[in-house]
Amino acid sequence: MGYVLMTDLFAHLRMRVLDALHRILPDLPDDIAARVEVSPARDPAHGDMATNAAMVAAKAARRKPADLAAALAEALRDGPEIAEAAAAGPGFVNLRLRAHALHAVLPAILQAGTAYGDGTRGGNLAVNVEYVSANPTGPLHIGHCRGAVVGDALANLLAKTGYAVTKEYYINDAGAQVTALAWAAYWRYLQAIGTALSEEEFAAEVPGGLQYRGEYLIPVGAELAAAHGPALATAGGGIAAPERWIDIVRDHTIAAMMRAVREDLAALGVAQDVFTSERALVETGAADALIERLRGDGLIYEGVLEPPKGKTPDDWEPRPQTLFRATQFGDDVDRPLRKSDGSNTYFTNDIAYHADKIDRGFALLIDVLGADHGGYVSRLKAAVAAVSHGGAALEAVLCQIVHVMRAGQPVRMSKRAGSYVTLRDLIDEVGRDAVRFTMLTRKADAQMEFDLDAVVAQTRDNPVFYVQYAHARCRSVLRAGAEMFSPAATADAALAEVPLDSLTAEPELAVIRRLASWPRTVEAAALAREPHRIAFFLYDLAADFHMLWNRGKDDAALRFLQAGRSGETLARLALVAATAVVIRSGLAVMGVAPVEEMR
RNA sequence: GCGCCCUUAGCUCAGUUGGAUAGAGCAACAGCCUUCUAAGCUGUGGGUCGGUGGUUCGAGUCCACCAGGGCGCGCCA
């Protein structure tokens, strides 16, 4: 067929605009040209697209925006894709495209499949996206869920934009918390072998108290009992001699918790490529080596910090500490690297971890964190700058808290009360796809209400349903089309070859324009690190499609399938098939499975 | 006290990185099923974009200050 396929219609027209602009202004500086955009027309009455080129170039050209716009419109008129170009408003040039240029979007989509929208903007840059990274001290809960979904979708999005992405999980398996976990597991072990102690009697013996009382450790205790019998409680062991059993119990428990974490993540459809252990960084000496490396660079000193102004902790006392010169890299204060017992702070090991990522060749590190870690970001950026000598960048994506609601009432999330919403509970209740989609219906740094009733509602105000319904309708039409013709004649590859001249109705063109803007949406979302934009795009596309569908309710001649008019029908099927492809493509970024039919 | 994030229609939220008359859904009202799925669609009303200044051709978007909300602030992770 005679369609010139292009992977991004907007990028293509931007080239046309720049060509025309350079003919008018041969000396246009590159930095001005870089600001030229071709974007969808806000109002269809303006045409298909608009460019700001005249306005951004006006100053450098010493010409009035409106005059330059008129000249640019003249230069663009009657181009191969452009039917009409007109100056408008303060200096926009509105473009109306020839029908074949818009139509060409469909075969491009049908040939590329879900690769349509893939970009090269990332330039194959090695990016590490770290997310979830929960302590292995219990099952994942809903607080981890948002980070898991946002991180996973962001990684998919960056990969689609041409970055070489590694998905990573940092296991916080060092420090006091996993020791407390080991004590808690030891209690379950004592129960499994039949202890005479009560829980409170045991808790009184635990340094720092018995912290993790959830039932999820009961199986771990049973496993330890099966593997070791009473040996961990006798033979010189027991509560008074934790050094005899603590390593065994801790290792076993962490392994069990991480197994559970991976299962929970798998249930959510998340599977990181790399899991890095904090303990391993400590035990292999990587963390100590890192400190020496920074000391060699003169970035570590022994000093005393000022107490925070206005809010001095009760137990504050000046104390010499091992400090990292974070202030040299833009942080507010230098940061301690050693606790008073001589062990590393969390930050120290985290520097070593980020140094490890840099050493593995990543130029861009993205950490998806809870918003309560917001105050931690500046020191981490300082550390990355110091360790990489400015060669690597760290970005943080902060996820705000999720309030779980049921029937308009908040669901409490307290570990102690036992009404703790685990990730698994959430998935079991509303389904993995609804969880993932819904988590992406808000900007990550905005608080979100997750209404358990709303996300399973089958109405327009539930985007999960609304988008899935649009896809199901596409598939329904295509199944009916395959009956009318044949599966081969209605396959995407065959539909990519059909003439499309009959697609002239405004609602049809609206869908095509939306499909044409998919690549730029992907790129913009990736550059902004905002995967939620994909969800909003799909919602808009679904709305365009439902509108088109309903036209057939008013006028039977406007339905997709027209007996006896195979040319028109095939053209419409191409539009439907392309819509389905882009919905699938967007859902794939979000990690959501498309449905073939609604039940 | 300091730092970061947030404030857009009655409610929940978008706003294409500074573009034209600020948009959706819900709620309210009025319409559309002999049908490729009405689980949908169409229309109407609803706004000093928290406030005040500033930057420029142009500000919801950038800057300064103020008000309100959230998070954080040495040896937790």
Side-chain angles (χ1 to χ4, degrees), chain A residues 182-202:
Chain A
W183 276 97
Y186 188 68
W187 167 242
R188 295 303 187 180
Y189 161 77
L190 291 181
Q191 285 185 309
I193 61 172
T195 179
L197 287 174
S198 72
E199 183 167 309
E200 289 317 311
E201 287 168 337
F202 176 81

Side-chain angles (χ1 to χ4, degrees), chain A residues 70-142:
Chain A
L72 185 60
E74 179 61 33
L76 284 165
R77 205 159 287 147
D78 295 325
E81 297 88 11
I82 297 168
E84 206 179 309
F92 286 100
V93 177
N94 291 327
L95 306 175
R96 188 175 302 284
L97 301 188
R98 297 184 189 282
H100 77 81
L102 277 178
H103 291 159
V105 170
L106 301 182
I109 294 168
L110 293 169
Q111 289 194 0
T114 51
Y116 172 66
D118 288 7
T120 56
R121 185 65 178 257
N124 224 27
L125 188 77
V127 179
N128 184 289
V129 183
E130 181 208 329
Y131 53 105
V132 189
S133 297
N135 301 327
T137 54
L140 296 178
H141 57 72
I142 192 162

Side-chain angles (χ1 to χ4, degrees), chain A residues 40-310:
Chain A
R42 174 163 297 191
D43 183 342
H46 295 154
D48 298 304
M49 299 178 175
T51 179
N52 63 350
M55 289 181 288
V56 301
K59 187 173 255 181
R62 295 175 175 278
R63 293 175 65 171
K64 289 183 183 171
D67 293 348
L68 192 53
L72 185 60
E74 179 61 33
L76 284 165
R77 205 159 287 147
D78 295 325
E81 297 88 11
I82 297 168
E84 206 179 309
F92 286 100
V93 177
N94 291 327
L95 306 175
R96 188 175 302 284
L97 301 188
R98 297 184 189 282
H100 77 81
L102 277 178
H103 291 159
V105 170
L106 301 182
I109 294 168
L110 293 169
Q111 289 194 0
T114 51
Y116 172 66
D118 288 7
T120 56
R121 185 65 178 257
N124 224 27
L125 188 77
V127 179
N128 184 289
V129 183
E130 181 208 329
Y131 53 105
V132 189
S133 297
N135 301 327
T137 54
L140 296 178
H141 57 72
I142 192 162
H144 301 117
C145 180
R146 189 173 194 182
V149 173
V150 168
D152 207 50
L154 176 59
N156 293 341
L157 183 58
L158 293 170
K160 194 170 179 65
T161 317
Y163 292 89
V165 178
T166 295
K167 301 178 177 180
E168 185 143 340
Y169 186 116
Y170 180 48
I171 308 169
N172 298 144
D173 53 0
Q177 292 191 1
V178 289
T179 299
L181 177 74
W183 276 97
Y186 188 68
W187 167 242
R188 295 303 187 180
Y189 161 77
L190 291 181
Q191 285 185 309
I193 61 172
T195 179
L197 287 174
S198 72
E199 183 167 309
E200 289 317 311
E201 287 168 337
F202 176 81
E205 300 297 321
V206 178
L210 182 56
Q211 290 184 37
Y212 300 102
R213 302 193 185 210
E215 295 183 353
Y216 59 87
L217 288 174
I218 292 174
V220 177
E223 288 165 16
L224 287 165
H228 299 279
L232 302 178
T234 57
I239 296 174
E243 66 279 3
R244 304 294 292 267
W245 52 263
I246 193 116
D247 286 342
I248 293 169
V249 172
R250 183 170 48 215
D251 287 355
H252 183 94
T253 308
I254 288 171
M257 292 299 101
M258 282 309 298
R259 213 156 42 234
V261 164
R262 286 177 192 250
E263 285 170 7
D264 287 352
L265 289 173
L268 191 59
V270 171
Q272 278 97 337
D273 305 309
V274 176
F275 285 72
T276 299
S277 158
E278 180 183 0
R279 275 184 82 199
L281 289 171
V282 175
E283 290 176 357
T284 61
D288 288 337
L290 187 276
I291 290 178
E292 290 317 309
R293 179 169 151 194
L294 290 175
R295 200 185 299 280
D297 289 340
L299 297 175
I300 290 181
Y301 67 103
E302 302 297 317
V304 180
L305 288 176
E306 295 290 313
K309 296 239 186 302

Side-chain angles (χ1 to χ4, degrees), chain A residues 313-398:
Chain A
D314 299 337
D315 59 347
W316 177 272
E317 52 185 89
R319 177 176 293 144
Q321 295 182 98
T322 302
L323 298 169
F324 164 64
R325 294 190 191 277
T327 49
Q328 278 194 12
F329 303 91
D331 199 1
D332 301 327
V333 63
D334 292 336
R335 303 291 181 173
L337 297 177
R338 303 278 199 203
K339 302 181 196 174
S340 53
D341 69 359
S343 64
N344 293 343
T345 61
Y346 179 80
F347 179 50
T348 307
N349 294 342
D350 214 9
I351 300 174
Y353 172 49
H354 284 78
D356 179 64
K357 289 195 273 195
I358 292 164
D359 290 344
R360 280 186 273 142
F362 296 105
L364 176 59
L365 310 178
I366 299 179
D367 290 2
V368 179
L369 303 170
D372 55 342
H373 289 63
Y376 183 68
V377 173
S378 58
R379 83 188 67 172
L380 212 45
K381 284 189 173 181
V384 166
V387 168
S388 71
H389 301 288
L394 172 74
E395 296 178 17
V397 173
L398 298 180

